[in-house]
Amino acid sequence: MRENLSEPLSIDDIAGFAMYSKFHFSREFQRVTGVSPGRFLSAMRIREAKRLLLTTDLTVTTISHMVGYSSVGTFSSRFSGSVGIAPSVYRRFNGFVGTVKAAGKRDAGGSVYGSVTAPEGADLGLIFLGLFPTRVPEGKPVSCTVLPFPGSFEITEVPAGTWFLLGHSVPGHACEALTEDQAVHVGSLGPLEVRRDTSVGPTDFRLRGMRTLDPPILVALQRVRSEAFEADIVRAAG
């Protein structure tokens, strides 16, 4: 997939390369990664588009073709839905957003609480936790929170439904376009069934180093990450 993002890959193509029947391959791929091969490939294409937008001067149209989209309109719509902002805006603000906004669904009376742990000595920045409808961290979470370090958390105003608790932490000094080369930590938990006016927990949410088979992080990083890192530098210098 990584080497052929611009090609119109089908499940038959990928399964044939792995020497599986497409049905067996799809089942095994979803069992290992938590998402379907097609969904994983789509996420990888958007992830590569994020990198190209921040590291090259290529036009949005050219980038859309390089990551497998024949229509720039379809690409822009998919990118905006996955990352939270349009490709041109993402480039203009260097890959950051002011805040990650929740979807704001009705019937948001539940909550999820627990504790975040991470490997000893892990190079962490701020920790983002969000509740999403699938195992891919994309688009607007139904509710979310940001922690300065591992420890207790509570996510409130969670609508009734079945959600996946997804989290990630990128070092404050990391470049959003090059997170694959940085010490990115991720975690997932779920599905979690949240009911109106009830609390789910305590949950034990564990961060770990990102692996090849983890779905790419598609939501744009919050601007507060870089601001927090700059504040740390100022405090250290003073």
Side-chain angles (χ1 to χ4, degrees):
M1 289 183 182
R2 292 181 188 279
E3 295 174 0
N4 296 278
L5 291 177
S6 64
E7 302 299 322
L9 292 175
S10 68
I11 300 301
D12 292 285
D13 295 329
I14 302 170
F17 181 82
M19 294 185 289
Y20 280 101
S21 73
K22 68 178 182 179
F23 302 106
H24 180 63
F25 174 76
S26 294
R27 285 195 300 270
E28 287 299 294
F29 192 96
Q30 181 138 0
R31 181 184 66 81
V32 173
T33 67
V35 298
S36 69
R39 187 69 201 84
F40 199 95
L41 175 61
S42 177
M44 290 181 65
R45 284 175 165 153
I46 297 298
R47 175 66 185 85
E48 176 63 6
K50 290 170 66 179
R51 187 187 71 81
L52 292 172
L53 284 166
L54 299 187
T55 60
T56 73
D57 293 325
L58 297 170
T59 66
V60 172
T61 299
T62 299
I63 290 174
S64 70
H65 294 158
M66 290 178 66
V67 296
Y69 287 86
S70 57
S71 165
V72 67
T74 300
F75 165 72
S76 295
S77 176
R78 183 66 58 83
F79 187 98
S80 298
S82 296
V83 180
I85 50 179
S88 58
V89 177
Y90 182 81
R91 169 176 274 171
R92 187 186 316 147
F93 291 104
N94 200 32
F96 292 95
V97 293
T99 58
V100 176
K101 297 181 180 179
K105 291 188 176 183
R106 295 179 179 178
D107 194 30
S111 66
V112 176
Y113 70 97
S115 182
V116 175
T117 57
E120 185 175 355
D123 184 11
L124 301 178
L126 296 180
I127 300 168
F128 171 83
L129 296 176
L131 290 159
F132 295 84
T134 73
R135 294 183 185 274
V136 180
E138 66 174 344
K140 293 181 178 179
V142 296
S143 192
C144 60
T145 189
V146 175
L147 304 178
F149 40 74
S152 299
F153 75 90
E154 181 178 19
I155 302 176
T156 59
E157 299 184 358
V158 181
T162 301
W163 314 111
F164 291 91
L165 178 59
L166 307 178
H168 62 266
S169 179
V170 178
H173 55 79
C175 171
E176 155 51 24
L178 303 174
T179 51
E180 289 185 353
D181 300 322
Q182 307 288 344
V184 180
H185 287 77
V186 298
S188 65
L189 192 65
L192 301 176
E193 183 69 31
V194 179
R195 298 179 181 177
R196 180 176 174 80
D197 298 326
T198 62
S199 296
V200 176
T203 60
D204 179 18
F205 191 87
R206 301 182 181 182
L207 289 171
R208 56 169 174 76
M210 194 168 189
R211 303 167 183 164
T212 301
L213 294 177
D214 288 319
I217 300 168
L218 300 186
V219 292
L221 299 184
Q222 289 187 247
R223 173 67 65 183
V224 69
R225 296 178 186 278
S226 63
E227 291 174 348
F229 177 64
E230 290 168 4
D232 287 341
I233 293 177
V234 171
R235 282 195 295 271

